[in-house]
Amino acid sequence: MNVAITTLVKDLNTTVGTIQVIIAVYALTMASLMLIGGKLQDVIGKKRTFLIGAGIYGIGTTIAALSINSLMLLVGWSILEGIGAALMTPATASIISGTYHGKDRTFALAIWSAMAGVAAAIGPLFGGFLTTFFSWRLGFGLELIIILAILAYSGHIKYFKPIMERSDIDVMGAILSSSGIIVLVAGVLLLNSFKTWTYAPYLMITGILILTVFYFFEKRRISRGKIPLFDINLLKNRDFTLGTSTRLLMNLALAGTVFVMPIFLQAVIGADAFTTGLILMPLTVGLLIFSLVASKISGRLSHRTIIAMGFLVALLGAVLLRSQFTLNAQLIDLVPGMFCLGVGLGLSIPLTADVILTSSGDEKQADASGFMSTAANLGSSMGTAVIGVILILGAISGMYAAIDTTYPNEITKQQYKENINTYFDKLKTTNLEQLRGQTSTASTIVNTTISTAMQWAMDAVSLFMLLGLILTMFMRPFGKEG
């Protein structure tokens, strides 16, 4: 959807701001309902929850495909598909976890995780291809075909008996968790714009406070012998908490990388959507292959060891990439770093799902899958916003350093701050193609600005990987060593 914004504005006779709001509402809807979607599995069953979600998603994608205005797109995609995804996503994890056991479950979850990662990497390419050569509506149409196939083959999905009554549903917990996540994610999304990011901390803090109230409300509900929306006692399980945290960090790094790479490739190098997709392919291929490799070698090495190896390889990939972003960058030079990132993500992401779901026990699969999906969705939302902000800050720092070096003592930090919008407007209108290979002042300033911005972004990704590696060290051995 991000790559189709310009086309959507024209086709639906709306504005860029409206489309961005629609995209944000989808993220808000999905993130805020994941916990509820997870818990509904205990009330109406995993299979029924998944199929109801599929039905809602199918209705939503049909409305979105037929949209004649922005309101139809909002209702169809942002709301109905968001609700459908919130019901389906946790259920997929718990259905897989409940259907398979031992090595088979590890392998099945590896495939599931690999598909999610690959989809995140190729989504922009696929969306751009459809929008450019056919229509963005076709993307929604293809989703409908997939939903129909799911419904047609739904008889093959294993049935799991519900373990809760409808009267046991924690309504207040649902309200608190949804509102807290909505406010938190809204705050994160406000980081995407210079105009709104000053409001972001207030919303994020408010969201955290609401979620804190939710935590103590659930704790009190458990002490009274009532069934909570989410069993917070799972957070006392070290492997569950660390597995969820490392998975969030991986999704954050993946979303951030997939966000900044197309910006550099298209805005700086001038690559088209297809070429951009080709440069992302090494990440996609590495992620897919090594997700399967991770499940195979989990019988020889512990999950902790393999996840740590993944973070190390991904960290190496980010380090390799940070020095490659210049005006004269050669696309082939980006391939090793992108592949290492994919390999690292492939080794780590699938096994974190296995750690999370196995450590929670069979009776808590619904709670675990809902919380895991919420954390992963938060990581993806935060990745785009956080890395986007760091990219902007890096560009600001790089441009000032370049100007100060080129014109020493001619401009103060205060003057630079006051005229920063003017400088960036000039950068946006600069013909970068003419600056390549030159040694002019303009070329030096632009090159330093771009290089510093991308280096900051990759340094942030490296930091996430390092933090994930440290957290992994505190996991208990699981698998071969366990």
Side-chain angles (χ1 to χ4, degrees):
M1 290 297 289
N2 284 290
V3 298
I5 288 178
T6 303
T7 306
L8 287 166
V9 168
K10 181 180 178 181
D11 289 354
L12 301 179
N13 191 28
T14 186
T15 64
V16 172
T18 300
I19 299 300
Q20 288 176 330
V21 167
I22 290 172
I23 293 173
V25 171
Y26 175 74
L28 289 170
T29 301
M30 190 163 56
S32 64
L33 296 177
M34 284 289 184
L35 279 181
I36 300 171
K39 198 62 177 180
L40 277 178
Q41 299 173 67
D42 286 341
V43 180
I44 61 176
K46 295 178 174 64
K47 179 176 180 177
R48 184 175 295 178
T49 301
F50 176 76
L51 293 179
I52 290 175
I56 295 173
Y57 197 97
I59 295 171
T61 197
T62 301
I63 294 173
L66 300 174
S67 295
I68 58 174
N69 53 46
S70 57
L71 179 60
M72 282 186 69
L73 186 63
L74 174 70
V75 173
W77 183 58
S78 302
I79 298 177
L80 292 180
E81 286 196 52
I83 293 172
L87 295 177
M88 294 174 72
T89 306
T92 58
S94 57
I95 287 172
I96 290 171
S97 182
T99 302
Y100 302 97
H101 303 279
K103 292 182 179 179
D104 289 339
R105 177 162 67 178
T106 301
F107 185 71
L109 287 172
I111 294 175
W112 175 68
S113 297
M115 291 302 101
V118 168
I122 68 172
L125 170 66
F126 190 62
F129 175 78
L130 291 178
T131 302
T132 302
F133 297 104
F134 298 98
S135 169
W136 55 269
R137 298 179 189 276
L138 185 58
F140 290 111
L142 291 174
E143 285 185 337
L144 178 60
I145 293 174
I146 293 171
I147 291 296
L148 292 175
I150 288 172
L151 296 176
Y153 286 91
S154 61
H156 296 279
I157 301 175
K158 185 177 178 180
Y159 173 77
F160 298 88
K161 187 177 180 180
I163 60 175
M164 279 177 56
E165 299 293 332
R166 295 188 181 186
S167 58
D168 294 327
I169 296 177
D170 180 8
V171 177
M172 181 54 68
I175 293 172
L176 286 172
S177 67
S178 296
S179 57
I181 293 172
I182 285 174
V183 176
L184 175 61
V185 174
V188 171
L189 293 172
L190 288 183
L191 293 172
N192 287 317
S193 172
F194 268 130
K195 297 178 180 178
T196 58
W197 70 352
T198 54
Y199 302 104
Y202 299 104
L203 282 179
M204 293 169 68
I205 292 171
T206 302
I208 292 171
L209 289 175
I210 295 173
L211 291 176
T212 302
V213 173
F214 166 70
Y215 173 86
F216 286 106
F217 177 82
E218 296 298 278
K219 188 175 183 179
R220 184 180 179 185
R221 188 175 174 89
I222 292 172
S223 68
R224 292 183 173 183
K226 297 182 178 181
I227 299 175
L229 178 71
F230 170 68
D231 188 354
I232 58 173
N233 289 322
L234 282 173
L235 297 175
K236 297 178 182 178
N237 184 311
R238 188 169 73 190
D239 289 337
F240 176 83
T241 301
L242 291 175
T244 304
S245 299
T246 52
R247 192 174 181 85
L248 184 150
L249 286 168
M250 278 288 179
N251 277 277
L252 198 157
L254 174 59
T257 302
V258 172
F259 172 70
V260 298
M261 285 300 294
I263 290 177
F264 173 78
L265 292 169
Q266 295 180 12
V268 178
I269 302 300
D272 56 24
F274 181 71
T275 303
T276 300
L278 289 179
I279 299 302
L280 291 175
M281 279 299 291
L283 185 153
T284 306
V285 171
L287 196 157
L288 178 59
I289 294 175
F290 281 85
S291 289
L292 304 181
V293 169
S295 68
K296 293 297 184 182
I297 64 176
S298 62
R300 303 175 186 175
L301 300 171
S302 72
H303 283 31
R304 181 179 66 182
T305 300
I306 299 171
I307 294 171
M309 288 167 52
F311 275 112
L312 276 173
V313 176
L315 177 60
L316 172 63
V319 171
L320 288 174
L321 282 171
R322 78 178 302 275
S323 61
Q324 302 299 328
F325 301 106
T326 67
L327 278 175
N328 303 310
Q330 300 298 311
L331 296 181
I332 191 66
D333 294 334
L334 301 174
V335 171
M338 293 298 290
F339 183 70
C340 284
L341 272 175
V343 171
L345 292 167
L347 289 173
S348 298
I349 291 180
L351 297 187
T352 56
D354 203 14
V355 169
I356 293 165
L357 295 172
T358 301
S359 64
S360 62
D362 292 339
E363 71 284 358
K364 295 295 181 183
Q365 291 293 292
D367 284 37
S369 62
F371 192 79
M372 178 178 69
S373 298
T374 300
N377 192 264
L378 282 174
S380 297
S381 299
M382 291 170 61
T384 301
V386 172
I387 297 295
V389 169
I390 292 172
L391 186 74
I392 293 171
L393 294 176
I396 292 172
S397 176
M399 182 177 285
Y400 177 75
I403 293 174
D404 189 51
T405 301
T406 307
Y407 305 104
N409 303 318
E410 291 188 24
I411 182 173
T412 65
K413 287 187 176 181
Q414 183 60 34
Q415 290 174 322
Y416 176 69
K417 184 177 179 181
E418 291 173 354
N419 294 283
I420 191 169
N421 289 329
T422 302
Y423 294 139
F424 273 89
D425 285 340
K426 289 182 179 179
L427 178 62
K428 292 176 183 178
T429 57
T430 299
N431 188 331
L432 301 184
E433 184 66 35
Q434 293 180 352
L435 296 179
R436 290 196 184 92
Q438 293 186 14
T439 57
S440 63
T441 300
S443 175
T444 300
I445 293 175
V446 171
N447 195 50
T448 301
T449 302
I450 293 170
S451 298
T452 304
M454 292 300 293
Q455 285 173 9
W456 278 41
M458 287 298 107
D459 286 344
V461 171
S462 298
L463 182 61
F464 298 143
M465 297 303 178
L466 181 60
L467 180 57
L469 176 63
I470 294 171
L471 292 178
T472 303
M473 295 297 100
F474 291 94
M475 285 183 182
R476 294 184 181 91
F478 177 82
K480 182 66 177 178
E481 294 175 13

